[in-house]
Amino acid sequence: MRANPIYSMAEFFPDVKTIEYEGADSKNPLAFKHYNADEVIEGKSMKDHLRFGIAYWHTMRGTGNDPFGPGTAVRPWEAANDDVANAQTRARVFIEFMEKLGAPFYCFHDRDIAPEGATLQESHDNLDAVVSVLKEEQARTGIQLLWGTANLFSNPRFMHGAATSCNADVFAYAASQVKKMLEVTKELGGENYVFWGGREGYQCWLNTDMQRELDHLAKFMHMAVDYAKQIGFTGQFLFEPKPKEPTKHQYDFDAAACLNFIRANGLEDYVKLNIETNHATLAGHTMEHELDYAGGQGFLGSIDANTGDLLLGWDTDQFPTDIYLTTKSMLAILKHGGIAPGGVNFDAKVRRESHEPIDLFHAHIGGMDAFARGLKIAAAIRADGRLEEAVKDRYDSWNHGVGKDIENGTANFESLESYMLTKGEISDNKSGRQEYLENLINEYI
Ligand code: XLS
Ligand code: NI
Ligand code: NI
């Protein structure tokens, strides 16, 4: 069934052996310096803390194209004709890549893994043909599916959106794709199902009935939840915030907008959030802000790990290498009790100039090491205790007296006024100690 006879051999990356942990002193670019899967941190292995996922769309389907030119990526296993046989070969390449990398999970959209057919039925059949290869490869290797999703944005039929399209037939088409992907995600034992808005938003206020579109999006999600119940898919639904791109106004702007949508539409028992770094920054937030906002309310589901570029204002989806970023991300994740059944999915792509297959290894090794380091540093900071102590101390006024009365609900405006009339002016505001705390983090970086 292999599409390209040259690649019918057992290995697609013959020059790469399994990536091993060699420790911080290693100079081997194909070794982990910090990610040591079985090393136990705060009572759990690194593997279980981080639950790394690989994104099929970037790693296998990213070509390096940009608005100014076509793809640059050299991918020797790709046949000239992108048919089902080629897609099946690609799925095997992917699993070999994952096995060598030692990443436990992957994520995909329906159209990443199999070509779209001439009809919906043909697309379903193409998908099934590749799903059976992935199922076989999962059983052989123990690799698992973190989440599935449907691509409801690439095909021109989705020009006005999918669930929020002005055309009801497009809603129906999108529903058919999600129905199928829920079945597929269940078949592959997927632990989550992701809704990223795609084109669920609008470009032009003049032609848009916004509330009607939002109502349709809520109906769509409820239908998905209902169908999951019907077929016995018990995975976690996740909503992925992104403020813009492709549309000017995305309905899933940030964690706060998504949570409002979830609660306003009675979806809070079924849907959590998948927070992506570069989406957080596009929304004018930091990753740790979004993680803490979601986590504080019990809605932190999973993360899409990547990073933007300080000087570029779009979703560059770069691999995370900044240790401050991964440290703060891990501080927020540990604070909220971990990420399972979600994971750390690298929704990230190699740069257009990094066109060789080996660059895929360098990129993922670097991302995994950056998160492993962030995890170790965050755990050390937590064990040190000074950061937690400083925050606790900052809010100490809430532990007794009037603060305690406010928190436990025994104070009101009248009691507070009479308290202040007696007390007089406030003279005991504490320093925020920002610089002290920034220095403390640097002690551990
Ligand atoms: C795009 C999104 C997308 C989702 C999955 O910006 O990050 O990749 O994660 O549809
Ligand atoms: Ni994403
Ligand atoms: Ni993104």
Side-chain angles (χ1 to χ4, degrees):
M1 288 297 275
R2 299 264 159 87
N4 185 338
I6 301 170
Y7 283 88
S8 60
M9 64 260 257
E11 283 189 292
F12 300 98
F13 302 99
D15 301 336
V16 181
K17 297 192 186 57
T18 304
I19 309 298
E20 308 279 0
Y21 169 68
E22 291 184 3
D25 294 335
S26 170
K27 298 282 179 266
N28 178 1
L30 295 176
F32 294 118
K33 320 291 188 296
H34 298 277
Y35 180 61
N36 184 10
D38 297 324
E39 187 177 327
V40 173
I41 292 181
E42 293 197 7
K44 217 159 65 177
S45 70
M46 278 195 173
K47 185 178 175 200
D48 290 343
H49 270 292
L50 295 165
R51 296 170 58 85
F52 285 126
I54 310 298
Y56 204 101
W57 54 102
H58 287 309
T59 298
M60 298 315 288
R61 307 313 307 276
T63 61
N65 65 327
D66 72 9
F68 304 96
T72 54
V74 173
R75 302 289 182 254
W77 52 83
E78 291 289 332
N81 184 13
D82 183 20
D83 55 11
V84 171
N86 182 48
Q88 289 175 318
T89 301
R90 187 191 295 123
R92 292 199 163 87
V93 176
F94 181 63
I95 299 292
E96 183 192 321
F97 175 77
M98 291 203 52
E99 259 190 297
K100 289 190 163 166
L101 192 63
F105 293 101
Y106 69 105
C107 306
F108 70 90
H109 304 81
D110 48 2
R111 301 298 176 248
D112 302 335
I113 64 164
E116 184 147 6
T119 62
L120 180 61
Q121 187 57 54
E122 210 177 295
S123 297
H124 285 349
D125 296 343
N126 290 352
L127 192 58
D128 286 337
V130 183
V131 166
S132 65
V133 172
L134 287 170
K135 197 174 177 184
E136 189 186 302
E137 292 287 274
Q138 282 186 207
R140 181 179 67 75
T141 60
I143 285 168
Q144 289 170 275
L145 180 62
L146 185 64
W147 49 262
T149 188
N151 180 326
L152 307 177
F153 42 89
S154 295
N155 190 290
R157 76 174 70 88
F158 298 120
M159 63 173 72
H160 299 293
T164 65
S165 173
C166 49
N167 182 343
D169 281 0
V170 175
F171 183 111
Y173 203 103
S176 318
Q177 269 183 254
V178 173
K179 173 180 177 290
K180 178 70 181 170
M181 265 311 289
L182 284 169
E183 294 161 11
V184 162
T185 303
K186 177 176 186 257
E187 166 101 4
L188 293 174
E191 297 197 29
N192 304 270
Y193 186 90
V194 163
F195 293 110
W196 166 59
R199 297 179 194 277
E200 311 295 29
Y202 67 93
Q203 301 286 15
C204 175
W205 181 72
L206 295 173
N207 68 14
T208 299
D209 188 338
M210 189 179 348
Q211 193 53 50
R212 201 166 185 182
E213 293 196 2
L214 285 164
D215 290 344
H216 294 165
L217 185 58
K219 280 217 159 57
F220 193 86
M221 286 204 189
H222 273 291
M223 285 185 196
V225 166
D226 289 346
Y227 190 65
K229 282 186 194 159
Q230 192 183 319
I231 64 171
F233 171 66
T234 54
Q236 174 69 53
F237 280 100
L238 300 168
F239 197 14
E240 182 177 321
K242 182 173 183 179
K244 51 191 144 207
E245 264 190 39
T247 73
K248 183 160 80 170
H249 299 280
Q250 295 278 141
Y251 294 136
D252 48 354
F253 191 94
D254 62 359
C258 287
L259 264 180
N260 179 62
F261 178 87
I262 287 169
R263 291 208 178 97
N265 293 291
L267 288 157
E268 58 270 38
D269 292 339
Y270 311 104
V271 186
K272 290 188 176 177
L273 300 180
N274 182 37
I275 306 287
E276 178 164 325
T277 323
N278 205 166
H279 298 181
T281 48
L282 276 179
H285 300 306
T286 59
M287 182 61 165
E288 59 270 23
H289 166 88
E290 289 290 84
L291 292 172
D292 207 19
Y293 187 88
Q297 297 173 72
F299 283 85
L300 176 54
S302 197
I303 76 167
D304 272 4
N306 59 21
T307 191
D309 186 298
L310 259 185
L311 305 182
L312 303 175
W314 65 90
D315 198 15
T316 59
D317 286 342
Q318 287 167 235
F319 277 84
T321 54
D322 180 339
I323 310 301
Y324 287 96
L325 170 66
T326 58
T327 297
K328 287 179 183 166
S329 299
M330 289 314 302
L331 276 171
I333 288 172
L334 292 175
K335 175 176 170 184
H336 295 297
I339 201 81
V344 174
N345 170 51
F346 290 112
D347 193 348
K349 59 189 178 204
V350 290
R351 298 303 85 193
R352 187 169 195 266
E353 302 78 10
S354 306
H355 62 288
E356 297 175 357
I358 197 75
D359 292 306
L360 294 171
F361 281 96
H362 296 154
H364 288 86
I365 290 168
M368 290 164 80
D369 262 348
F371 263 89
R373 248 178 113 177
L375 168 61
K376 286 193 283 191
I377 294 168
I381 291 169
R382 282 157 59 86
D384 171 305
R386 278 177 292 162
L387 176 61
E388 196 190 4
E389 200 45 52
V391 177
K392 237 168 75 202
D393 182 58
R394 186 163 179 250
Y395 292 89
D396 185 55
S397 68
W398 296 91
N399 296 329
H400 41 76
V402 77
K404 198 171 174 188
D405 292 345
I406 296 170
E407 282 198 348
N408 67 23
T410 57
N412 59 30
F413 272 12
E414 284 174 325
S415 71
L416 295 176
E417 185 194 40
S418 76
Y419 166 76
M420 282 319 304
L421 286 170
T422 316
K423 174 154 183 166
E425 196 41 76
I426 288 151
S427 56
D428 52 359
N429 258 329
K430 291 172 190 262
S431 162
R433 297 271 183 263
Q434 177 172 335
E435 297 77 9
Y436 161 81
L437 293 174
E438 286 167 346
N439 296 350
L440 194 158
I441 300 293
N442 271 358
E443 272 183 43
Y444 284 90
I445 295 277

